[in-house]
Amino acid sequence: MSPPRKMQPKMKCYVCENDECDKPKVCENAILCFKSAVREHDGTTRISRGCVLQREHVPLYCNKHLASGASNDNIQIGAGSFHTICCQEEFCNSGPFPELRGPPPSDLNKIGLHARLVLYMLPLFVFFTIIFATLYLVRKKKRDVSTLPRRDKKLVETGCEQQMLVFATGASPNGHAQGANSTNEIRATAAGDSTLKEYLEGQSLTSGSGSGLPLLVQRTLSKQVALVECLSASGNSIIGSGSFGREIWRGVWHGENVAVKIFCSRDEAKWARETEVYSQLLPSRHDNILGYIGSDMTSRASCTQLWVVTHYHSSGSLYHHLLHLVKAMNHEQMFNICLSIANGLLYLHTEIHGTQGKPAMAHRNLKSKNIIVKNNGACAIADLSCCATQDKLTERFDTRLSSRRYMSPELLDQTYDHECLEGFRRADIYSLGLIFWEVCTRCSSNGVASDYSAPFAEWLTNDKQEPTYEEMVKLVVTDQRRPHIPNRWHTDPSLSGMAHMIRECWHQKAAARLPILRIKKTLVKLATSDPDVDLPID
């Protein structure tokens, strides 16, 4: 029997910011106190005291070795810097604020003559270096593109490769040179000092109760992330499909890989919705929901961008995983994927009461491209920008925002009740049935497995593209077709049980579909009855 977990001691801390620090407020039940100083690129210095109420927020304020109370180094971010001191005693964040190393911009006149000459000449040197590098890369790109077949040129000229070239070399899309931090990495610059803070406060996404990210992190997150690789054009989609103009990038944050989904300004409502959903899920994180790090507003190439930063998983989406499998899955791998997806959807669909609770939610855009495969073979549900709770169903759902291939009959023919959350949860079950079918077709039975095929591919003229609305209405609503269940499944007890459950998931009538809890129990029963499966069942 394992020893009881030691309780984290609670304490009181001072809470204030800038001018408020003359008369600070008091935060109770904290597990850690901090005080910080931040210098912006224009030389402005901000100070603050605060507290951390939840253990998972500690790394966002302090490095891992800081949990004992030591202070971190004075870290440079772009042209500014910040210094945070963390401690674990009552009111230990009183006293003087941390010192910031290096002279502020206003003290440059104190630097020696030679250093000033270097500072004056360095921008000119960097400017001419960027000009020559840009000309060289543009000429090289034109030469490389000219050797490609005509059918490939458009992909190279319009994909993420062009944006990597443009921003890594410091050139704007119209050809004018701009500053860049590195020829291999892209660092964002802040769109405004308190833009995100004001937006979040206006949207009531941070209550000060620990349900949202610390404001210090919100102001500086985009400055700390280096964008390295664009993923949305490569097919290895890490968080969602990269559709509707969104870009998916692999970035580096404090030495660790992260996934960055970038919305353009016209998709502000979807970015705000995903940020709000993640803030509701933060108090009770789940292994089968993609891990959330934070959101930020930033500017790149004179355009405002909206970021959602999450955990990065190198295996990519379930769609990419199934498509590129070297050999067929066995039963244990198949059940590992299906059970983890069911667990994630059960968590979303279920209302949890209490201080660590969450409202019941419907995903509304469930598909294999929005499910991420982790290193252990289990999955996590991603792309929560279409998620809905009962109190958010005031407007009719725009079905153009979700994938038509996975859309249920009642969504396609517009017969659903847009004010009822349960209707959307049943639509999720329909999509889940199609995803289970995709997974099971790649599972071996008696040494035989099928190649990957997207749902309804056998009836669509161009399966490489998203089907039209009219095509799916005819297939699903009028003809009531569903993907074919292979005959070989019927001789395999596990796949035969999966086939029976899948048919109940994608039933034409929404009320006849299985609830997610029943689906999980069925999966557990099938997995435990299979002698070839040895999974930890929770």
Side-chain angles (χ1 to χ4, degrees), residues 45-247:
T45 300
R46 293 183 285 102
I47 55 175
S48 63
R49 307 184 197 273
C51 62
V52 178
L53 300 179
Q54 297 193 25
R55 168 57 60 182
E56 56 265 28
H57 289 169
V58 171
L60 299 176
Y61 289 94
C62 313
N63 292 333
K64 292 181 180 178
H65 69 279
L66 300 178
S68 61
S71 63
N72 63 326
D73 294 333
N74 187 186
I75 302 173
Q76 297 289 331
I77 306 175
S81 59
F82 72 84
H83 191 179
T84 303
I85 294 178
C86 303
C87 57
Q88 286 185 311
E89 295 180 6
E90 193 138 300
F91 295 119
C92 59
N93 61 342
S94 61
F97 286 91
E99 295 183 1
L100 295 172
R101 297 179 187 173
S106 60
D107 291 342
L108 286 178
N109 56 353
K110 300 178 183 178
I111 300 176
L113 176 61
H114 294 290
R116 291 168 65 180
L117 287 175
V118 171
L119 289 174
Y120 292 148
M121 295 300 294
L122 186 60
L124 291 176
F125 174 76
V126 173
F127 175 77
F128 285 112
T129 301
I130 291 174
I131 291 293
F132 286 119
T134 301
L135 292 175
Y136 170 77
L137 290 172
V138 169
R139 292 184 63 183
K140 184 177 183 299
K141 180 177 174 64
K142 288 182 178 179
R143 185 167 60 251
D144 293 343
V145 172
S146 65
T147 63
L148 290 174
R150 180 174 302 185
R151 58 188 169 81
D152 293 334
K153 287 183 180 180
K154 186 175 181 182
L155 293 175
V156 174
E157 292 171 354
T158 59
C160 287
E161 292 87 345
Q162 181 192 37
Q163 297 184 27
M164 279 291 289
L165 172 67
V166 167
F167 297 113
T169 59
S172 63
N174 58 12
H176 298 293
Q178 297 185 10
N181 290 325
S182 169
T183 57
N184 297 317
E185 296 181 346
I186 304 168
R187 288 194 182 276
T189 56
D193 175 37
S194 59
T195 305
L196 182 63
K197 177 187 177 185
E198 293 169 358
Y199 182 91
L200 292 176
E201 288 178 346
Q203 296 293 323
S204 299
L205 298 187
T206 55
S207 63
S209 62
S211 60
L213 282 178
L215 292 179
L216 176 64
V217 176
Q218 291 169 344
R219 289 177 186 149
T220 62
L221 180 60
S222 63
K223 298 180 185 179
Q224 300 174 38
V225 177
L227 301 180
V228 178
E229 177 188 8
C230 184
L231 302 168
S232 51
S234 66
N236 187 22
S237 183
I238 299 301
I239 47 174
S241 61
S243 55
F244 308 111
R246 288 172 287 178
E247 294 178 4

Side-chain angles (χ1 to χ4, degrees), residues 3 11 48 152 208 210 249 321 323 433:
M11 65 193 73
S48 63
D152 293 334
W249 289 77
H321 178 73
L323 182 64

Side-chain angles (χ1 to χ4, degrees), residues 14 24 106 108 144 155 168 273 285 318 386 401 414 447-448 455 490:
Y14 289 118
S106 60
L108 286 178
D144 293 343
L155 293 175
R273 181 57 187 153
R285 292 175 182 268
L318 178 61
C386 290
L401 300 178
Q414 301 286 304
V448 179
H490 301 303

Side-chain angles (χ1 to χ4, degrees), residues 427-465:
D428 282 348
I429 299 299
Y430 173 89
S431 304
L432 183 67
L434 295 177
I435 295 169
F436 282 173
W437 176 86
E438 288 180 83
V439 175
C440 290
T441 56
R442 301 294 282 128
C443 181
S444 174
S445 60
N446 299 319
V448 179
S450 306
D451 293 334
Y452 176 77
S453 177
F456 303 103
E458 55 195 303
W459 294 293
L460 297 172
T461 55
N462 189 350
D463 185 52
K464 301 300 181 183
Q465 298 179 354

